[in-house]
Structure formats: C-alpha cells, structure tokens
C-alpha cells in the first residue's frame, strides 16, 4: 500500500508485491472482516480515484456484501477448488442465516435491558492488557450475550449501537453515535481538505475497510485488529522513511 501511494503509476515491482500479499494472505484463508480490512485499502491504492467517488464506493460495498462475502464464506467449508461456486445471482438466503445475527443480538440486549455500566468498554480500552494478569478481564460482548442468555454457540456478533446500549443503555447509543460520527468526520476532513501524509493515507484506507467490522462488532475484537493493522502500517512507514534517508 505504501509503495503504491508513493509511486505515480504501478509497475512490475508493484505487482510482485501484490503476488506476495496473495500467497501470504490468500482471501479464502482469512476471516472475511480481515479480507475487507486488507484488500479494500489495497484496492484504493491501486485505484485511488475511487476514493473521490462516494456513490461508486457504495456500489462496490453493496457488491461486496451480495457477492464477495458469500463467496469468501466457502473458505470455511470447501476442501478443494472444484467445490467452489461462483454465484451470478445474489444469494438472498444468506440474509436468513447466522451471518446477520448481530441484529437479533442487538434487539435481545435492548429487549432485556442488559447493561454492564461501562464494563465492556473498559475491556475494549484495555484489550492489550494480558488476561493472565487480569483473569476477570471482560470478554467480547457477543460472548457475554451468549453466556447471559444461555446460547450454545458463543462466537456471535454484537453491532456497534448495541455495544452502546450494553455499556450505558439508551445514553450509550447516543454517545457511541456521536463518537463514531466525530471519528469519521475527523478522518474525512483531514483526508479530503488537507494534505495527508502517506502513512495517514494508508491508515485511513485501512479504517475504511475495517469499518465493516466496527459496525458489525463486537467492539473489543475490531479495536484490537484495527490498532494492530494501524500500528503495523505506521511501523512500516517509519522503517521505509528511515531506510530511504
């Protein structure tokens, strides 16, 4: 990503780097949120003009949800290339599956007025703190809901606004909405109205890709991955700048 941004046009070396990315982070071998967090920003660096066409980006995201994500889901079950299926018509049945459990989980939290008074948010802020030292460290909100309501499967999602409710109730939804709006506005203003650094551009692209995960939840996992990807990007940029001097 960094190389594509500093280069005025793609060359052979750029595609060699892309090949390395594909063989080390093959889309069907990764969680789908990670594919969005890695390959969407990579796409933006190859086709930077897309970022200035919001309507086109919306169509790309819709296409990704209807076609790309269902295709990537096959990576969980298929054992050979011959089993892969490419659907020309959107698979609407997926809307009735567990992929969209985040909505019913959010409604369950609100219906039963389940509030932890900031305990889950504390786990998000201190996600980096070792659980071996803090055994009572909060787990992901999806796991909390599964445990609280006696669900047999605990690898479930809780969307961003439900995270607001589970922390502070109705006030939490309002507060979390204001925070996300402020973060998005800050990112956009600096990118579109100022001259961002190359490091900032790569982190901004990663944030756009991870926004899917942030909205779907749960929050502790997406914040951990977002910080990890951003820190790796920042470290690479500093290393490149240091070596180029």
């Amino acid at each position: 990503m960094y190389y594509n941004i500093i280069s005025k046009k793609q060359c052979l070396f750029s595609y060699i780097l892309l090949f390395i990315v594909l063989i080390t982070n093959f889309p069907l071998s990764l969680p789908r949120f990670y594919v969005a967090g890695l390959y969407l920003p990579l796409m933006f660096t190859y086709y930077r003009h897309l970022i200035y066409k919001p309507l086109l980006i919306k169509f790309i995201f819709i296409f990704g949800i209807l076609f790309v994500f269902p295709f990537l889901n096959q990576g969980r079950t298929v054992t050979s290339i011959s089993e892969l299926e490419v659907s020309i018509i959107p698979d609407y049945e997926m809307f009735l599956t567990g992929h969209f459990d985040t909505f019913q989980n959010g409604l369950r939290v609100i219906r039963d007025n389940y509030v932890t008074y900031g305990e889950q948010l504390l786990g998000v802020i201190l996600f980096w703190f070792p659980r071996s030292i803090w055994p009572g460290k909060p787990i992901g909100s999806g796991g909390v809901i599964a445990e609280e309501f006696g669900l047999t499967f605990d690898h479930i999602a809780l969307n961003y606004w439900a995270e607001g409710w589970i922390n502070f109730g109705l006030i939490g939804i309002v507060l979390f909405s204001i925070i996300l709006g402020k973060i998005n506005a800050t990112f956009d203003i600096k990118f579109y109205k100022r001259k961002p650094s190359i490091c900032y551009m790569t982190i901004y692209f990663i944030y756009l890709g991870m926004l899917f995960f942030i909205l779907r939840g749960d929050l502790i996992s997406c914040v951990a991955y977002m910080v990890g990807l951003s820190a790796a990007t920042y470290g690479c940029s500093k290393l490149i700048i240091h070596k180029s001097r």
Side-chain angles (χ1 to χ4, degrees):
M1 288 188 285
Y2 193 93
Y3 181 83
N4 283 351
I5 292 175
I6 63 176
S7 302
K8 293 183 178 180
K9 60 181 180 179
Q10 279 75 47
C11 61
L12 178 60
F13 184 68
S14 173
Y15 291 103
I16 291 175
L17 291 176
L18 177 61
F19 176 73
I20 294 174
V21 172
L22 287 171
I23 63 175
T24 56
N25 292 273
F26 193 68
L28 288 178
S29 68
L30 299 174
R32 288 170 299 174
F33 74 86
Y34 204 78
V35 174
L38 189 65
Y39 282 95
L40 273 177
L42 194 59
M43 179 187 71
F44 290 143
T45 64
Y46 275 97
Y47 306 100
R48 262 172 284 176
H49 63 280
L50 292 178
I51 207 67
Y52 300 100
K53 298 181 179 180
L55 185 61
L56 182 57
I57 290 180
K58 291 176 183 178
F59 280 116
I60 291 174
F61 285 173
I62 293 173
F63 178 83
I65 292 174
L66 293 179
F67 293 96
V68 179
F69 272 34
F71 176 77
L72 293 175
N73 186 56
Q74 296 180 86
R76 299 179 175 184
T77 56
V78 301
T79 57
S80 65
I81 296 179
S82 60
E83 296 179 18
L84 288 176
E85 296 181 0
V86 180
S87 177
I88 301 177
I89 302 176
D91 182 12
Y92 296 109
E93 291 295 324
M94 72 175 180
F95 293 108
L96 305 177
T97 64
H99 298 299
F100 294 88
D101 65 335
T102 180
F103 299 108
Q104 64 190 46
N105 294 332
L107 291 174
R108 181 183 284 117
V109 169
I110 296 173
R111 181 196 65 190
D112 292 274
N113 195 27
Y114 186 71
V115 182
T116 63
Y117 301 101
E119 182 179 351
Q120 290 306 112
L121 184 59
L122 183 63
V124 173
I125 296 172
L126 299 177
F127 74 90
W128 48 270
F129 200 85
R131 198 173 293 276
S132 58
I133 301 177
W134 182 14
K137 176 182 172 182
I139 61 175
S141 296
V144 170
I145 295 305
E147 185 178 293
E148 178 68 21
F149 295 101
L151 304 180
T152 56
F153 184 69
D154 61 359
H155 189 60
I156 61 177
L158 194 69
N159 62 71
Y160 181 79
W161 288 276
E163 288 275 5
W165 182 281
I166 201 175
N167 277 286
F168 306 112
L170 182 59
I171 295 176
I173 294 181
V174 176
L175 181 62
F176 273 47
S177 298
I178 292 173
I179 291 173
L180 185 63
K182 178 63 176 177
I183 292 174
N184 288 350
T186 302
F187 265 116
D188 288 343
I189 289 172
K190 187 170 181 179
F191 181 83
Y192 288 103
K193 295 187 177 181
R194 301 174 188 173
K195 190 176 181 180
S197 65
I198 298 173
C199 179
Y200 179 87
M201 291 177 67
T202 54
I203 292 177
Y204 176 72
F205 292 156
I206 288 173
Y207 177 76
L208 291 180
M210 292 297 288
L211 197 54
F212 279 107
F213 192 22
I214 293 172
L215 295 176
R216 181 181 182 270
D218 53 26
L219 198 57
I220 191 171
S221 298
C222 65
V223 168
Y225 277 101
M226 178 66 195
V227 171
L229 282 172
S230 299
T233 300
Y234 181 79
C236 285
S237 66
K238 290 299 181 182
L239 180 63
I240 292 171
I241 292 172
H242 175 74
K243 291 295 184 181
S244 63
R245 289 176 178 173

